[in-house]
């Protein structure tokens, strides 16, 4: 923090400000200029409460934050990229990781057929919701326990790792028994009780950006998980809500390189929820590869027109296989760029 004192701040006021900053646990460096005193405060942790105190303290003209309010997830804290490992797959490493599967787990036949198809096409992780966050209480809410068991069966049959959504802190233990990776959906990005519990769950977390959340808020949510003990977090850009209605959301692709500047955590893109339209998924997927994402999460269903949720944005197995083939050339360039030294 940099604190500028008022021009005629008294010696007592300056000393009082320094004393209060020290009480918050920060080190104080004050510089007396010709006109005013400027105080630098350094230390760890979120400075927000200290800033609020300073704004209300006599003699202070302004107090500004100079470092980000998140620490563990920041590049300042750790320079090298975090590789999140789950069931033999590494996200954030030398390979672009594709996660694929249906929006919801619907039946044994549906999840098995999808798992086999996406595995053959090169996906490494199977997605599928057993607990579904639906806008309407009358829509399909997921198979819950049965869905978790079916996902475990699909993993056993294909060797794919499994990611599934967790909606409540009360279900963390039970979902962690079945899933290799815990997905926090857009609607729960700021469910702080859930984030704290996930800090202790021992499984990597796929944290999706809230539909109206800023990059800073996304990183603060990731900070919750890491500060509570779990450094294995993958971030996901899944589109944000804007004035545009032609697509379900607006895909904020620039968020990918920006996040890579700010954090060491891997970043993947969800072209399905970002667009809401199956026809746009392959193009946005190419763009995600080109812009340096660490992977994709794509909705795939053996018969999208019969899907219980998100059919319009789901690829069928043939479309997914074609997309994976078409991505190959871009992925070769992606691998080459990963081998080049990254700018600091
Ligand atoms: C999902 O992945 O099916 C989902 C509900 O996504 P989001 O939380 O991004 O809306
Ligand atoms: Mn969905």
């Amino acid at each position: 923090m940099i604190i500028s004192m008022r021009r005629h701040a008294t010696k007592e006021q300056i000393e009082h400000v320094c004393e209060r900053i020290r009480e918050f646990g920060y080190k104080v460096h004050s510089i007396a200029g010709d006109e005013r005193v400027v105080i630098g405060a350094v230390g760890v942790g979120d400075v927000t409460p200290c800033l609020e105190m300073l704004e209300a303290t006599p003699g202070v003209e302004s107090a500004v934050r100079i470092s980000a309010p998140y620490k563990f997830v920041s590049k300042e804290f750790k320079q090298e990229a975090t590789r999140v490992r789950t069931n033999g797959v590494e996200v954030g490493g030398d390979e672009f990781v594709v996660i694929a599967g249906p929006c919801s787990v619907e039946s044994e036949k549906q999840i098995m057929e999808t798992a086999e198809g996406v595995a053959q096409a090169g996906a490494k992780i199977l997605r599928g919701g057993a607990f579904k966050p639906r806008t309407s209480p009358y829509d399909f809410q997921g198979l819950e326990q049965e869905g978790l068991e079916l996902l475990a069966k699909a993993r056993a049959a294909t060797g794919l790792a499994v990611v599934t959504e967790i909606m409540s802190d009360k279900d963390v233990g039970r979902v962690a028994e079945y899933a290799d990776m815990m997905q926090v959906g857009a609607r729960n990005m700021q469910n702080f009780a859930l984030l704290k519990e996930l800090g202790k769950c021992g499984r990597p977390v796929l944290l999706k950006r809230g539909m109206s959340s800023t990059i800073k808020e996304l990183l603060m949510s990731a900070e919750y998980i890491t500060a509570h003990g779990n450094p294995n977090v993958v971030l996901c850009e899944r589109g944000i809500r804007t004035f545009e209605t032609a697509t379900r959301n607006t895909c904020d692709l620039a968020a990918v390189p920006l996040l890579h500047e700010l954090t060491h955590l891997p970043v993947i893109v969800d072209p399905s929820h970002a667009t809401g339209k199956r026809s746009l998924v392959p193009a946005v997927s190419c763009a995600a590869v080109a812009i340096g994402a660490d992977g994709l999460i794509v909705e795939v269903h053996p018969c999208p027109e019969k899907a219980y949720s998100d059919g319009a944005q789901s690829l069928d197995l043939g479309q997914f296989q074609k997309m994976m083939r078409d991505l190959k050339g871009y992925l070769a360039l992606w691998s080459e760029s990963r081998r080049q030294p990254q700018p600091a």
Side-chain angles (χ1 to χ4, degrees):
M1 285 172 292
I2 301 283
I3 301 99
S4 287
M5 299 300 294
R6 288 187 192 282
R7 270 210 350 218
H8 301 294
T10 63
K11 205 164 158 271
E12 288 72 31
Q13 285 175 331
I14 295 165
E15 271 167 18
H16 177 66
V17 165
C18 292
E19 199 42 48
R20 293 290 283 130
I21 295 170
R22 283 192 202 99
E23 279 169 26
F24 275 80
Y26 303 114
K27 283 212 170 88
V28 171
H29 304 266
S30 73
I31 307 149
D34 287 344
E35 292 216 321
R36 69 183 74 231
V37 170
V38 174
I39 300 165
V42 287
V44 290
D46 183 6
V47 295
T48 308
C50 188
L51 276 177
E52 282 169 3
M53 173 280 290
L54 288 166
E55 275 160 15
T57 304
V60 172
E61 184 164 276
S62 69
V64 289
R65 173 194 317 273
I66 49 167
S67 65
Y70 41 84
K71 176 186 165 213
F72 297 120
V73 303
S74 74
K75 268 275 176 75
E76 285 154 30
F77 183 72
K78 179 172 173 251
Q79 277 289 315
E80 96 250 29
T82 291
R83 295 169 178 235
V84 174
R85 291 180 191 90
T86 181
N87 200 12
V89 187
E90 194 176 70
V91 188
D94 304 329
E95 265 184 63
F96 188 86
V97 174
V98 178
I99 304 173
C103 180
S104 318
V105 181
E106 298 167 4
S107 67
E108 178 160 353
K109 183 170 179 301
Q110 174 243 22
I111 197 68
M112 287 299 188
E113 212 178 313
T114 315
E116 273 152 22
V118 300
Q120 266 169 27
K124 291 287 180 324
I125 303 179
L126 176 68
R127 63 149 291 150
F131 296 89
K132 292 306 302 177
R134 305 306 300 277
T135 303
S136 165
Y138 307 114
D139 287 341
F140 177 60
Q141 305 284 310
L143 295 180
E144 304 192 345
Q145 182 63 31
E146 188 190 345
L148 295 175
E149 287 164 16
L150 291 176
L151 284 167
K153 233 176 175 175
R155 170 179 46 214
T158 59
L160 291 171
V162 159
V163 61
T164 195
E165 181 158 353
I166 170 85
M167 298 211 300
S168 161
D169 53 310
K170 299 186 181 61
D171 290 325
V172 167
R174 133 157 105 128
V175 174
E177 269 178 46
Y178 295 88
D180 299 296
M181 193 183 255
M182 315 282 273
Q183 176 176 329
V184 177
R187 290 155 193 81
N188 272 308
M189 190 203 84
Q190 288 190 318
N191 179 341
F192 300 117
L194 174 61
L195 300 178
K196 286 183 197 170
E197 206 52 42
L198 288 169
K200 299 177 260 166
C201 78
R203 295 265 184 233
V205 177
L206 172 59
L207 179 65
K208 297 185 95 178
R209 180 177 181 182
M211 59 186 90
S212 303
S213 300
T214 62
I215 300 278
K216 188 166 116 187
E217 287 162 343
L218 171 64
L219 289 170
M220 290 304 286
S221 291
E223 183 82 4
Y224 258 91
I225 302 168
T226 51
H228 283 84
N230 186 351
N232 296 310
V233 180
V234 177
L235 304 173
C236 178
E237 165 57 39
R238 47 77 73 202
I240 48 174
R241 200 169 261 192
T242 67
F243 56 83
E244 183 55 76
T245 53
T247 46
R248 182 176 179 182
N249 290 291
T250 298
C251 189
D252 181 9
L253 276 172
V256 175
L258 176 58
L259 283 165
H260 279 150
E261 278 181 21
L262 299 172
T263 178
H264 49 84
L265 297 176
V267 185
I268 68 168
V269 171
D270 175 345
S272 311
H273 293 85
T275 61
K277 280 189 164 61
R278 153 180 339 124
S279 63
L280 302 179
V281 168
V284 174
S285 298
C286 281
V289 175
I291 209 157
D294 296 284
L296 288 172
I297 178 165
V298 186
E299 285 188 339
V300 180
H301 192 286
C303 182
E305 77 179 73
K306 291 201 183 139
Y308 293 179
S309 56
D310 287 350
Q313 66 192 34
S314 301
L315 301 178
D316 66 24
L317 287 164
Q319 289 161 342
F320 179 68
Q321 278 153 10
K322 178 174 184 322
M323 182 180 95
M324 292 294 276
R325 276 198 305 275
D326 293 347
L327 280 181
K328 284 217 168 94
Y330 297 92
L331 287 173
L333 292 171
W334 183 95
S335 300
E336 207 173 292
S337 78
R338 284 283 156 131
R339 281 194 289 270
Q340 325 237 316
Q342 299 296 309

